[in-house]
Amino acid sequence: MNLKKIFPVLMLFISFTFYAQGERMREKKEQIKALKVAFLTTELDLTASEAEKFWPIYNTFDDKQFELRHQKMKAFMGRMEEGSIDKMSEKEASAFLNQMESSEEELFFLRKKFFSTLKGILPATKIIKLKKSEEDFNRKLLQQYRDKGPRK
């Protein structure tokens, strides 16, 4: 067979495979988000008025937080692919450390602004419950992942 005929078919197959994997990841992310919404709704016991104001703010915050963390991990993993930490010069390591600190600060200020906004919507006790509930949800999610992981 001619390579010119096989190559486009192969590329089409590969692109469909990557697309399908991306779709599955989006579906999983949406599934987790739905579970998180249900969990937080139950834990926080929001009134209709509170929920109406809370969810748009929370969803915006959660999306920004996810994006910042994703960028941070992408940068970190990118540096690890380029070479090991041991091969970094002190100048490169210092610049990378500054980048990591900047990302952490950005996440901190995002959460601080979020809490400040919530203070006008929810009582302090529910804001504290939110923080605890998020941690509880993440812990349960991690435990489920561990339980379903490969057995040795």
Side-chain angles (χ1 to χ4, degrees):
M1 262 195 158
N2 192 346
L3 188 60
K4 290 181 180 179
K5 292 179 182 177
I6 295 174
F7 188 70
V9 173
L10 183 62
M11 291 307 292
L12 186 64
F13 177 72
I14 291 171
S15 66
F16 280 136
T17 303
F18 284 127
Y19 177 76
Q21 287 175 351
E23 279 298 308
R24 274 181 272 172
M25 289 300 288
R26 276 190 287 280
E27 287 173 12
K28 279 286 188 200
K29 185 180 174 198
E30 289 302 315
Q31 235 178 3
I32 291 170
K33 194 169 188 169
L35 290 170
K36 187 176 185 180
V37 167
F39 185 81
L40 292 178
T41 299
T42 303
E43 294 295 308
L44 295 178
D45 193 29
L46 300 172
T47 66
S49 173
E50 289 172 338
E52 184 180 333
K53 296 172 188 169
F54 170 77
W55 285 113
I57 293 167
Y58 183 81
N59 289 333
T60 301
F61 161 75
D62 199 42
D63 290 343
K64 285 180 184 176
Q65 180 177 247
F66 176 81
E67 186 60 35
L68 284 172
R69 285 187 172 153
H70 181 72
Q71 287 173 357
K72 185 173 84 169
M73 279 304 291
K74 193 174 180 181
F76 183 74
M77 295 307 283
R79 294 297 284 188
M80 296 307 107
E81 289 174 8
E82 293 171 13
S84 73
I85 297 170
D86 296 331
K87 293 180 183 177
M88 274 187 197
S89 71
E90 189 60 30
K91 186 177 179 181
E92 290 172 325
S94 181
F96 187 55
L97 184 58
N98 288 337
Q99 182 183 5
M100 289 170 56
E101 288 172 344
S102 177
S103 294
E104 289 297 328
E105 271 184 11
E106 205 171 342
L107 279 166
F108 171 76
F109 286 120
L110 177 67
R111 184 163 279 284
K112 190 172 180 174
K113 182 181 175 193
F114 172 64
F115 284 149
S116 177
T117 304
L118 284 184
K119 287 178 184 176
I121 298 169
L122 299 176
T125 53
K126 285 191 180 181
I127 296 172
I128 294 168
K129 257 188 186 177
L130 169 66
K131 179 71 174 147
K132 182 184 179 316
S133 297
E134 285 178 319
E135 290 173 5
D136 290 347
F137 178 79
N138 290 336
R139 202 173 302 110
K140 285 182 181 187
L141 191 64
L142 185 59
Q143 188 59 47
Q144 279 184 343
Y145 177 75
R146 285 180 182 152
D147 291 346
K148 288 184 180 181
R151 303 282 179 209
K152 289 185 179 181

